[in-house]
Amino acid sequence: GVARQGARRWEEIHAELRGAIERGELPEGARVPSETELAHRYGVSRMTIHHALKALQEAGLVVRRPKVG
């Protein structure tokens, strides 16, 4: 169903972003694009990106900070 497809999509994006971090394409301390920016890039909802980033945060690969400004 649609829900399962969405679940797989955030996992794919999570794996892709994790790979970029592990390969050094997103070096430590680098700013990860915003949820909105990533949603546009991947053609998915912001909630899908939110799940992918939350999983990266839980793995200790990204630190989420409230938007400043």
Side-chain angles (χ1 to χ4, degrees), residues 1-63:
V2 174
R4 282 194 56 144
Q5 186 177 355
R8 283 199 301 271
R9 191 67 184 123
W10 79 258
E11 290 169 337
E12 288 170 20
I13 293 165
H14 168 261
E16 209 169 296
L17 292 172
R18 183 181 190 120
I21 291 166
E22 290 171 348
R23 289 188 300 273
E25 292 166 18
L26 278 172
E28 190 171 336
R31 187 183 161 277
V32 175
S34 70
E35 287 183 4
T36 304
E37 202 174 318
L38 288 169
H40 285 294
R41 184 182 301 177
Y42 287 100
V44 297
S45 73
R46 236 189 75 226
M47 191 49 72
T48 299
I49 297 300
H50 179 81
H51 286 302
L53 292 177
K54 189 170 185 331
L56 290 171
Q57 179 183 13
E58 288 169 359
L61 292 170
V62 297
V63 175

